[in-house]
Amino acid sequence: YQRRVHGLTFQENAMSIQERKERHKEQVRAAIINTARNIAINEGWQAVSMRKIAEVIEYSAPVIYDYFENKDKLLFEMSLEGFRALVQKLEQSLDFSLLPKDLLFQFSIVYWDFAFESQELYEVMFSLKGITCSKSKIIPMEVEKLNSVM
């Protein structure tokens, strides 16, 4: 259909509007996750709250709950993000020309580096420093992939 705005005619279709809504929704979701991570980096995970995230991204707290039911669900998503990042780094370091003992050593270096370079993710992935979130769903989804890389 066509839409006129300030004397200009725009050709739009329903799909592009839906795509734009989905893109916006994904951008807000990413902003929530990135904000939570930045708060954790600067102030620690104990400082991360749905209300604080809402303040930083300038949305109301109920909007945050539209994306994540509670802080536990947000931490779970952050944990998944950490496992995805670790698996990606391990996959990048995979070198089949190495002897198994050398490959294991290479993986340990990657793992060690990840733990220090992405400390906030590592903390939430392994429930360190009093962080708790439901991990039972992570095992089949991401840790299995991590195990397949190793």
Side-chain angles (χ1 to χ4, degrees):
Y1 66 92
Q2 290 185 347
R3 183 170 63 127
R4 290 187 62 76
V5 177
H6 301 292
L8 299 173
T9 302
F10 294 92
Q11 188 72 27
E12 293 187 17
N13 59 39
M15 189 59 128
S16 68
I17 293 170
Q18 183 63 33
E19 289 172 350
R20 190 171 33 246
K21 286 180 182 179
E22 289 299 319
R23 187 172 52 243
H24 176 73
K25 188 173 182 175
E26 189 53 42
Q27 288 170 342
V28 172
R29 181 176 171 78
I32 293 167
I33 291 170
N34 290 336
T35 300
R37 188 172 178 182
N38 287 334
I39 293 169
I41 289 169
N42 296 318
E43 303 174 45
W45 282 106
Q46 70 283 355
V48 175
S49 71
M50 302 301 252
R51 187 171 306 277
K52 185 176 253 185
I53 294 167
E55 288 174 18
V56 172
I57 66 170
E58 298 178 340
Y59 276 86
S60 67
V63 170
I64 307 303
Y65 288 102
D66 288 342
Y67 291 85
F68 297 98
E69 185 180 325
N70 53 40
K71 184 178 174 181
D72 189 59
K73 300 289 185 189
L74 175 60
L75 293 177
F76 176 76
E77 184 62 36
M78 299 297 297
S79 184
L80 288 177
E81 182 180 305
F83 281 109
R84 286 185 200 109
L86 179 57
V87 166
Q88 182 180 23
K89 288 185 178 295
L90 289 169
E91 287 175 339
Q92 290 170 351
S93 73
L94 194 57
D95 181 354
F96 290 110
S97 68
L98 294 175
L99 294 172
K101 69 178 179 95
D102 295 331
L103 185 57
L104 182 60
F105 180 76
Q106 176 65 29
F107 276 4
S108 68
I109 297 298
V110 170
Y111 193 93
W112 179 266
D113 288 346
F114 178 83
F116 286 95
E117 292 169 2
S118 301
Q119 184 175 352
E120 72 291 345
L121 289 178
Y122 190 83
E123 289 171 356
V124 77
M125 288 164 62
F126 297 104
S127 298
L128 303 176
K129 297 189 177 180
I131 301 164
T132 57
C133 74
S134 121
K135 295 278 198 274
S136 61
K137 296 175 188 166
I138 295 174
I139 301 298
M141 293 168 36
E142 295 297 325
V143 175
E144 184 177 308
K145 186 174 180 184
L146 181 63
N147 288 336
S148 73
V149 171
M150 297 174 105

